[in-house]
Amino acid sequence: MHRPMDEPVHEVFPSAVRPHPAEQAGPWPTTSPADGLPDPARVDPAVLGVLLARHGWQRRGGAPGRYSRWTPPGPPGRSTSLLVPDTTAFPDSEDLLAEALTALARSAAPSAREVLVSLAVPSDEIRWWRDVPEPAAGTAGAAGWTGAEQLHGAARQILLAGALAVRGRAGYHGARHRRRALVTLGSILIGPAPGGRDLTAFLPVQAGRPLAVRLYHALHAAREAVDYQRATGGMEAFDSAVEAGVSRELTEAVIALVRGSEGAGIALDWAPAAGAPDGCPARPEPVEFSPGDLPALRRAGARYLRDEPAVTVRITGAVVRLRRSGPRGAGIVRLRVLAGAEVPHVRLELDEEAYRIAGQAHLVGLPVRVEGRLESRGGFRRLTRASQVVPVQVDEEERDRLMKSLQENVDYFEEACTGE
């Protein structure tokens, strides 16, 4: 627990630093140790039917009321069809479901894997695609390396922008909330598609539904704002779009998706088992952007960056670096933020007395508390008008951890003492 040395002990601050989030997508889910397939006893045939139809499978007859026959996308007669029971009321329903799941696992159809993932972990699906010229070997399933990388990078940027908007609405987030937003991305599953022109992300309903809903509203608001700007020349629609989740981070992500293509789009489908969330249509329309939209998106991003105001904060942080040009006078201090702002580090300039306090706190392994304005310039990583610098008491465990950090950064402190 933290408390200022000159204040009562009942004022507390969070003392733990959040763990570094995993930035990679999670593994493909498995629910059966034997074969990695979803448990047929827990599969709803209606949900399976919706997923098959969503991914382009065709229903081709069957016995009405008992089962239906499905074939994968593509020319008929080249793949084994699936028999899917209409209900679980018949004695052989579970056997038919088990056979259908096994056939999906063995199917060469790219969509079969995505259907299995959605069954194993009920998920909302987001799909991105880019219209790009086909490479010479495109008919054999090859894709351009640069284009595939660009698609993956832009998709990740869009997901991160949505996760930031879940944490708070802002025209420009900078470094704020980024750690928690990255934690949200850790539960998302990515399904690569052959050809490198489209990509599907699976957002588990339990953890990812708020992100999916926010992205739905933000992407449609961005599309409407671009249309308004192109029709009237005005940027006002981008101002109101912030409340829907549009930000500089989102406009930059959409620009990255579209740049170098003839057009790109994003489609969202809700998990059939969970249904559509409140305020959203059951079947959302895809959102598409073209190269002609890029000037409006660039202007909006620059506007968001310019207009986002500074934030008054009261930060508790560990001193990790000190530097000044001589043995006396003002100096630059870098803090690792423990409480008071959703950023990992801030940089601030302190007068001689405040710099001395920060240096002493650093030597004995104590954090400091400081008030100031977190500036949007530089991504909310700089604190200006710093004042009220005081050491903060910590418990023994936190003190030991901060002392270890001191040892790791001893060179920085030596620089400050010698004036180098």
Side-chain angles (χ1 to χ4, degrees), residues 26-375:
W28 294 100
T30 59
T31 56
S32 171
D35 52 17
L37 296 177
D39 184 355
R42 298 188 176 185
V43 172
D44 184 344
V47 170
L48 176 55
V50 170
L51 291 172
L52 289 171
R54 174 182 297 174
H55 290 279
W57 290 63
Q58 299 294 318
R59 182 168 181 165
R60 301 184 184 278
R66 291 187 60 88
Y67 67 86
S68 54
R69 185 180 297 275
W70 294 82
T71 57
R78 294 188 178 182
S79 302
T80 303
S81 60
L82 306 181
L83 286 180
V84 179
D86 289 344
T87 72
T88 57
F90 301 105
D92 61 345
S93 295
E94 188 172 327
D95 292 337
L96 285 177
L97 284 170
E99 292 173 2
L101 296 176
T102 301
L104 277 173
R106 296 173 178 173
S107 174
S111 58
R113 187 85 180 265
E114 297 182 349
V115 172
L116 288 173
V117 172
S118 294
L119 285 174
V121 181
S123 305
D124 298 323
E125 299 179 27
I126 300 179
R127 185 170 66 90
W128 297 263
W129 67 90
R130 302 177 74 241
D131 295 328
V132 293
E134 187 173 278
T139 55
W145 181 285
T146 302
E149 279 194 329
Q150 186 172 346
L151 174 62
H152 280 74
R156 185 180 184 279
Q157 285 181 251
I158 289 173
L159 290 170
L160 179 58
L164 289 169
V166 171
R167 304 299 311 174
R169 310 292 191 274
Y172 175 49
H173 296 278
R176 294 178 296 174
H177 307 295
R178 188 166 294 264
R179 288 183 294 186
R180 292 190 179 182
L182 287 169
V183 170
T184 303
L185 302 191
S187 64
I188 296 175
L189 305 169
I190 299 296
R197 291 179 184 79
D198 53 59
L199 177 71
T200 303
F202 299 88
L203 282 64
V205 172
Q206 186 173 0
R209 174 57 65 92
L211 170 55
V213 172
R214 183 49 49 208
L215 273 179
Y216 164 77
H217 290 296
L219 289 168
H220 283 271
R223 178 67 266 173
E224 293 171 4
V226 169
D227 291 340
Y228 180 86
Q229 195 281 331
R230 295 188 67 175
T232 67
M235 299 294 293
E236 308 85 61
F238 280 104
D239 296 335
S240 58
V242 170
E243 186 58 31
V246 181
S247 63
R248 174 180 171 83
E249 285 77 8
L250 183 66
T251 59
E252 291 293 302
V254 174
I255 290 171
L257 180 67
V258 176
R259 187 173 50 235
S261 73
E262 298 172 359
I266 307 105
L268 195 152
D269 291 300
W270 310 116
D278 294 338
C280 299
R283 295 182 179 180
E285 291 292 326
V287 183
E288 297 185 346
F289 296 91
S290 70
D293 299 326
L294 296 185
L297 291 168
R298 291 192 180 102
R299 286 185 59 189
R303 182 186 178 95
Y304 287 141
L305 179 62
R306 182 183 66 246
D307 295 346
E308 188 65 23
V311 182
T312 301
V313 293
R314 190 187 202 191
I315 287 176
T316 300
V319 179
V320 295
R321 185 164 188 170
L322 299 117
R323 180 184 290 274
R324 60 181 174 184
S325 57
R328 297 187 179 278
I332 303 298
V333 175
R334 190 170 189 235
L335 299 181
R336 176 162 51 84
V337 177
L338 304 175
E342 281 288 344
V343 294
H345 295 87
V346 294
R347 182 176 178 269
L348 59 155
E349 183 175 358
L350 299 177
D351 60 29
E352 183 173 359
E353 176 62 19
Y355 187 88
R356 181 185 63 80
I357 294 173
Q360 291 176 343
H362 185 65
L363 277 175
V364 298
L366 290 177
V368 296
R369 191 189 65 196
V370 58
E371 298 178 5
R373 288 174 61 79
L374 199 59
E375 294 287 345

Side-chain angles (χ1 to χ4, degrees), residues 2-8 11 13 314 369 390-393:
H2 306 305
R3 68 179 187 278
M5 298 178 71
D6 57 348
E7 292 191 5
E11 183 180 351
F13 295 85
R314 190 187 202 191
R369 191 189 65 196
V390 294
V392 176
Q393 292 283 11

Side-chain angles (χ1 to χ4, degrees), residues 358-419:
Q360 291 176 343
H362 185 65
L363 277 175
V364 298
L366 290 177
V368 296
R369 191 189 65 196
V370 58
E371 298 178 5
R373 288 174 61 79
L374 199 59
E375 294 287 345
S376 61
R377 289 175 297 172
F380 294 95
R381 295 181 177 90
R382 186 175 68 169
L383 196 71
T384 61
R385 304 182 190 177
S387 63
Q388 306 298 320
V389 179
V390 294
V392 176
Q393 292 283 11
V394 296
D395 56 34
E396 289 302 319
E397 181 179 351
E398 179 73 1
R399 185 185 179 94
D400 291 343
R401 189 172 60 79
L402 292 172
M403 288 300 291
K404 181 179 179 182
S405 175
L406 165 64
Q407 295 169 3
E408 293 172 350
N409 295 277
V410 66
D411 292 340
Y412 298 148
F413 189 75
E414 288 175 351
E415 290 175 5
C417 292
T418 59

